[in-house]
Amino acid sequence: MKERIMHRMGNDLVLTPHRIYNKTSTLALISALLFLILGIFLFVWSGDFWQMPLAMGLCVGVPVMIHKIAVVQQQIIIPSGKDAQIVFCIGKIYKSNIVQKNEAALISNTLNGKAYYAVTSKKNPYGKSYQISPFLNKKKTALIFEEEVLPIILQQLEIQ
């Protein structure tokens, strides 16, 4: 799990918190593709009953593709150096500077009752935050993250 959440790119630490959901998204995308193939097969061979599998394939496939593009590919890049900028990016589509490293704070936050760790500004800790961990509902995931990944993130952020 540690390799799916973080990796090094030179001296920079790249966090991919939602990459652990990639397998689930891929399975849902395959099932949507199978429904689309079933719809095409029924259209060609019987000329009837093709609307329902087509609708099911599209209703599952389109949100899963959006999830894979917009959520699974999210990255937080923490560079080395004291006054470097922490960068948030979605694949190669979008890139934004979040906050300078010396102004960053690590917080624990919740979303719909699901706990996670995030990076935010020290000046406004209740403002916009960027998730750096997967949702920590399962004790095994939380334990692995807090023992193996969190110390490396704190070391890279230079927070004691």
Side-chain angles (χ1 to χ4, degrees), residues 3-76:
E3 294 79 23
R4 291 187 286 177
I5 294 176
M6 60 171 258
H7 64 276
R8 292 240 179 231
M9 190 168 54
N11 289 335
D12 299 345
L13 182 66
V14 180
L15 303 170
T16 52
H18 301 291
R19 193 169 167 195
I20 63 171
Y21 307 120
N22 194 23
K23 186 176 181 181
T24 307
S25 296
T26 304
L27 291 174
L29 194 60
I30 290 171
S31 66
L33 186 63
L34 290 175
F35 275 117
L36 290 173
I37 291 170
L38 177 64
I40 292 169
F41 174 78
L42 289 173
F43 178 74
V44 170
W45 286 103
S46 70
D48 203 4
F49 305 113
W50 58 272
Q51 294 93 349
M52 185 58 121
L54 182 71
M56 289 172 64
L58 290 175
C59 286
V60 170
V62 171
V64 167
M65 283 300 294
I66 292 170
H67 181 264
K68 282 183 76 75
I69 292 169
V71 176
V72 173
Q73 292 185 3
Q74 287 181 359
Q75 296 178 339
I76 304 288

